[in-house]
Each structure stands twice: as C-alpha cells, then as structure tokens.
Amino acid sequence: MTAAGGFTDARPLQVRIADDIRMKIETGQLAPGEQLATLDQIADEYGTSLAAVRKALDLLRQQGLVVTVQGKGSFVRERPSTRRRGIDRYSRSTWAQGKALHTAEAESQGRSAGQQLRELAEVPAPAVVADQFGIPEGTPVWVRRRTTFIDNRPNQLADSYYELDVVRGTRIQEENTGPGGGFARLEEAGHRLDRIREELAVRMPTGPESVALRLPAGTPVIDLVRTTYDVSGRAVEVMLATLAGDMVGFAYEFPIPD
C-alpha cells in the first residue's frame, strides 16, 4: 500500500484497517450504535485474512471505539459525554438557584445526569486532602463519596472532603444536601465562596475503577483534585475525583494576566 506522495505505508495491515474504521467513526460515516460489517465482509473489502481483521477489531476495542456482542457482531460504541466548561460550570447563578453542578452541566448539553451516594462518614484525612487543608495527615474529616452518571453510565467517582467544623450541623452530612448541593450549603454556613483550584492528571485505571466506571480495555482515567476556597482564603472543600477518560472534555476560557 502506497500513501500520498509515493511513500510506502509501513503500518501493519491490522493497524491500517483499524485506522480506516476509526476514521469512519470519527467522521460520522459509522454512527454510534451502528453495526460493523461482518468479519468476512471486512476481510473481503481489504483483501486480507480473518486473523488480520480480528486483530484490527481488537485494537478498536482497546481504543474504546467498538464493542462486540457475542452472537451479534461488533458495533460502534456509544459514548455519552459532557464537556466540563471550566470556569463557567461553577457560576453562582447555577447552584444558587438550586441546580447541582453535575446536573446543570449535563442538562445544558442535552444529557441526563444522576448520582449514587456510596458513603457518608468521618474518616482520616488522606495526605493530599490534609495538604490542601493545611492539617496533619490522618486528622478526622468528613467525606461524601458519590458515583455520578451521564445517560445512566457512570462517568465519575467523586469524593468530597470537609473539615468537621465546616460541615457540622449542615445538610452536607445528610444523604440529600438540598437545592444547589454542597456549594449552597457552605454559603448558608457562612463560607462565601471565592475561588476554585483544579489539578488534573491522566493515568491508567485500577481494576476496581475499571469495573466501577465500566471502562473498555485501554481507556484512561483523569484524576481531578478540586479545592474550593472561601473569601477568607480558607479551603472549605477538597474533592478527589476519578473521571472516565472517554466521557469528558475540558474547555477553559480566562483573561490573560498582566
């Protein structure tokens, strides 16, 4: 196979097949949920063996683009996703009017959102949380562990930590935090929110994370550390989140500092 400009395409055949099918998926020629041609049909189209086609489909499955259903064939994977709109997603006008951040962001993009509470508890502060709060590691703190969903698929494991004196007596310690979620309750408790810092890192998931987020093989996750400060400069919430890498995009817009 010779590429444009006369160069020989040195990619293995299965890679060329996988790249071609991926291009059709990315350009919309193959739509989410659409069934791929059979192994025999793909082999005939590319003039190759069934073994090469199987390897190509394995590559596409590892890239999270294709799923195979036993006895039915291979399909373009449907990937419900939302774009986290950076600064805009934390607009006070959103949560002050009773909308949870996750729900408002999903709905604005035509998606449905939900969450499942995994744990409410007093726990020792992990090192990264203690560092953000400026307290000794192991100091008792309050945690809310949730799994959030987009269109009924888990997209995030989110654990929010608070110092005990900040949340004592608030609905943050209850299953239902009420309209506007934790941000609204923090302000009701006298912590006027002022700024947020986010740190992101990409890695491969652990086994339990792959199961909890239903990740296809080869799908990375994004670790997010979000620290929320009040007007006094105190960190009042630290959220450690693990996001499914194939279900999120990031968009940030901000003024250029002088």
Side-chain angles (χ1 to χ4, degrees):
M1 181 174 180
T2 303
F7 295 102
T8 299
D9 192 335
R11 293 172 298 165
L13 183 56
Q14 64 266 24
V15 175
R16 280 182 265 162
I17 296 171
D19 286 349
D20 192 42
I21 294 174
R22 184 178 65 250
M23 181 273 295
K24 292 177 180 178
I25 293 172
E26 292 174 345
T27 59
Q29 296 177 57
L30 288 171
E34 184 174 342
Q35 185 169 6
L36 302 186
T38 66
L39 295 180
D40 288 332
Q41 290 169 334
I42 296 174
D44 287 343
E45 178 182 354
Y46 291 95
T48 188
S49 66
L50 291 176
V53 174
R54 290 192 183 97
K55 290 179 180 178
L57 292 181
D58 283 343
L59 288 173
L60 292 168
R61 281 191 289 269
Q62 291 169 15
Q63 295 165 6
L65 297 172
V66 167
V67 293
T68 298
V69 180
Q70 188 67 33
K72 294 185 177 181
S74 295
F75 300 81
V76 177
R77 182 165 171 258
E78 299 186 65
R79 301 193 297 172
S81 63
T82 58
R83 174 172 290 179
R84 295 173 67 95
R85 300 193 180 277
I87 297 169
D88 290 343
R89 78 184 304 263
Y90 296 119
S91 171
R92 179 173 277 101
S93 63
T94 297
W95 49 266
Q97 295 179 14
K99 282 279 189 180
L101 297 178
H102 178 64
T103 300
E105 189 168 62
E107 290 179 352
S108 72
Q109 298 172 55
R111 303 289 188 181
S112 65
Q115 71 170 0
Q116 179 181 22
L117 186 65
R118 304 194 324 270
E119 184 181 23
L120 283 174
E122 185 176 310
V123 298
V128 64
V129 171
D131 183 61
Q132 298 299 313
F133 282 142
I135 60 178
E137 182 178 353
T139 299
V141 293
W142 189 258
V143 68
R144 294 181 60 88
R145 303 189 199 276
R146 297 98 63 208
T147 300
T148 63
F149 296 81
I150 296 293
D151 292 348
N152 296 315
R153 189 196 143 185
N155 74 307
Q156 177 182 226
L157 305 174
D159 300 346
S160 291
Y161 293 85
Y162 308 85
E163 290 190 82
L164 297 179
D165 68 302
V166 170
V167 296
R168 189 173 291 114
T170 73
R171 292 180 66 176
I172 291 173
Q173 293 187 295
E174 300 176 11
E175 183 173 345
N176 184 355
T177 56
F183 277 13
R185 303 294 80 76
L186 286 169
E187 291 219 327
E188 286 177 357
H191 298 280
R192 176 76 175 177
L193 304 185
D194 180 60
R195 61 188 175 92
I196 291 171
R197 174 183 173 86
E198 292 190 338
E199 303 172 51
L200 302 169
V202 180
R203 62 175 173 82
M204 297 309 294
T206 64
E209 289 169 342
S210 292
V211 172
L213 293 171
R214 304 179 200 164
L215 299 175
T219 303
V221 293
I222 299 167
D223 281 336
L224 167 67
V225 180
R226 184 187 78 193
T227 307
T228 303
Y229 301 86
D230 67 11
V231 292
S232 73
R234 180 180 183 179
V236 291
E237 182 225 36
V238 178
M239 185 180 78
L240 306 184
T242 301
L243 295 85
D246 62 333
M247 293 187 68
V248 66
F250 294 88
Y252 291 97
E253 180 177 332
F254 45 84
I256 299 172
D258 290 332

